[in-house]
Amino acid sequence: MASITQPPRQFKQPSRKGKRAWRKHVDITEVQEGLEAVRDEIIAGGVIAEKPSEELFAIDTTGDKVVAKEYRRGHKPLKADEILAARSAVPPVDSRKRSSRVTDGVLEHSSKKRRGEVSFRELQRIRRIAYGGESVPKDVVKIPEAKILDPWMDGSGDVVATQDPRFSFLESPKPVREPKTLKQSPISLAANGKEVPAVRKPDPGISYNPAFKDWDELLVKEGEKEVEAEKRRLREAEEERRMLEIVAAAAEEEDTANSDQESTEEPETGVVEEAWLARKRSERKTQAQRNKIKRRREAEKKALWEAQMKGKAIQAAEIRKIQKAIEAKERARAEEAAKGGVAIGEGDDRVLRRRRFGKIPIAEPPLELVLPDELQESLRLLKPEGNLLKERFRNVLVRGKLETRRPITQWKKKRRSITEKWSYKDFKI
């Protein structure tokens, strides 16, 4: 019998709406593998996800001995650390308070209370009542919260003190404000106006074993400075001696003139009376004279005011010229520094400018020079000289970070007035 050929048709998808079809066509391989894994864990000793951490992990407090040995071999500790880490077998002294009473060896029971003593529990109860505890109201003593504020922060953080309403008629305290100079860079006191480095590069001539050329140049330069200082001192001494001689001669001439005048003077009462009579008497001024004097005074005031205004205008013009010159100079210095021609941080702290901060002069730097008989070719034979603290302090002064002040050796004491009270004499019978 011949086979019947069916016409072409579309693939028919079986229905999955029923419960049997859902069980038949849904893939549950992953679920079955998970159940198998759980069964294996139960056989091995329990489900890992249900066990606590103490059963799964262990803390190693000893460590590996091999690793510790290798680390100690490469990192040997210091002897001081070994001494500090050592523990004595003798127990330390107990710091607890002991009873000062001497007994016969039989100690009383700790539960027995002594007369006049307060137990620890009673002491805690008293402290809770005095200083506050859980059963005591917290608002008995109000303590303001301490706020950490920066006094130089923005306006939002100004420190403003609270004022008592009872004293509202008083002027409210002003907030603490940041000074303008806090953001300005310090002004160097070097004569060339450049910044002085914090640590100046030393001269090669001050080395303990310098080259002869460097040492000789430094010796000649310092010698010339000392010679000029000695000449200046001699000139000042000569000028002071000359002034003293002039003052002494003037005083002597004045004494001689006074003695001559006293010897030649004779009393002449008639001449004195005639001079008194010949003195011009004051007369009453007319209105025209008063008006003339008034106009003259107004003209003098106007002329004086015009002269003052003219002087102020001249000073303002000079100030503008000086300001322009300073700005041009600063601009030129900045351009040279940008080109690399001038190093900003190479100010000389030995040559200072004339206009300084304060009236007290800055101390001269110590002489850093070794004489020929003091030269040591070995660093072991070198003797340390100078004071690092004084050098650092002078460097801070020269860099303009502090002003020079004279140390106060005697402080002003507060004046106290002593009076005798008479209240003890007031008595009643």
Side-chain angles (χ1 to χ4, degrees), residues 320-363:
R320 285 194 291 270
K321 288 181 182 179
I322 294 171
Q323 187 177 3
K324 289 180 180 179
I326 292 173
E327 290 178 357
K329 189 176 179 181
E330 293 292 337
R331 200 180 305 110
R333 281 185 57 199
E335 291 177 358
E336 291 180 3
K339 293 178 182 179
V342 179
I344 297 178
E346 293 183 358
D348 190 4
D349 61 344
R350 293 178 175 272
V351 183
L352 305 179
R353 66 180 190 176
R354 293 183 179 179
R355 190 174 182 183
R356 305 170 188 173
F357 300 129
K359 299 180 180 179
I360 304 172
I362 298 177

Side-chain angles (χ1 to χ4, degrees), residues 3 41 62 127 274 308 375 403 413:
S3 61
E41 290 178 1
T62 58
R127 283 181 177 174
E274 291 177 1
Q308 290 178 355
L375 281 173
E403 62 177 346
K413 297 181 180 180

Side-chain angles (χ1 to χ4, degrees), residues 14 58 74 81 97 124 158 206 226 262 282 305 328 340 350 392:
D81 296 338
K97 292 183 179 179
Q124 292 295 330
D158 290 343
I206 65 175
E226 294 297 328
E262 289 175 359
S282 60
W305 181 79
R350 293 178 175 272
R392 289 293 87 211

Side-chain angles (χ1 to χ4, degrees), residues 259-270:
S259 61
D260 295 343
Q261 186 177 2
E262 289 175 359
S263 60
T264 57
E265 282 183 353
E266 294 181 1
E268 297 180 358
T269 56

Side-chain angles (χ1 to χ4, degrees), residues 179-197:
K180 295 180 180 180
T181 55
L182 192 65
K183 296 181 179 180
Q184 297 177 2
S185 58
I187 301 173
S188 175
L189 297 184
N192 52 9
K194 301 175 185 177
E195 279 191 33
V196 178

Side-chain angles (χ1 to χ4, degrees), residues 121-286:
R121 185 176 298 177
E122 185 68 15
L123 180 62
Q124 292 295 330
R125 188 184 69 82
I126 295 171
R127 283 181 177 174
R128 281 197 301 272
I129 294 173
Y131 303 111
E134 297 297 334
S135 60
V136 178
K138 299 297 183 182
D139 57 348
V140 175
V141 180
K142 294 183 179 180
I143 301 174
E145 297 181 359
K147 295 182 179 180
I148 301 174
L149 295 175
D150 186 3
W152 309 130
M153 62 175 53
D154 298 335
S156 59
D158 290 343
V159 181
V160 181
T162 58
Q163 190 177 19
D164 195 339
R166 296 177 297 173
F167 307 108
S168 58
F169 58 90
L170 297 177
E171 185 179 356
S172 58
K174 296 180 180 180
V176 181
R177 297 193 180 277
E178 178 184 3
K180 295 180 180 180
T181 55
L182 192 65
K183 296 181 179 180
Q184 297 177 2
S185 58
I187 301 173
S188 175
L189 297 184
N192 52 9
K194 301 175 185 177
E195 279 191 33
V196 178
V199 180
R200 185 171 59 89
K201 185 178 179 181
D203 194 289
I206 65 175
S207 174
Y208 70 95
N209 190 12
F212 178 76
K213 182 180 179 182
D214 299 334
W215 177 79
D216 187 57
E217 290 178 357
L218 182 61
L219 181 63
V220 171
K221 184 172 68 173
E222 295 294 339
E224 291 176 355
K225 287 183 181 179
E226 294 297 328
V227 170
E228 290 295 330
E230 183 65 19
K231 289 181 180 179
R232 193 185 313 111
R233 188 188 66 80
L234 293 175
R235 285 197 301 268
E236 292 176 356
E238 182 65 23
E239 185 69 19
E240 185 178 1
R241 185 187 63 79
R242 189 176 65 84
M243 293 298 296
L244 291 175
E245 289 180 356
I246 292 172
V247 170
E252 187 177 355
E253 290 178 0
E254 186 177 357
D255 294 341
T256 306
N258 291 337
S259 61
D260 295 343
Q261 186 177 2
E262 289 175 359
S263 60
T264 57
E265 282 183 353
E266 294 181 1
E268 297 180 358
T269 56
V271 176
V272 173
E273 290 178 358
E274 291 177 1
W276 177 76
L277 293 173
R279 189 172 57 185
K280 188 177 181 180
R281 299 177 183 178
S282 60
E283 298 179 358
R284 188 183 183 118
K285 296 182 178 64
T286 62

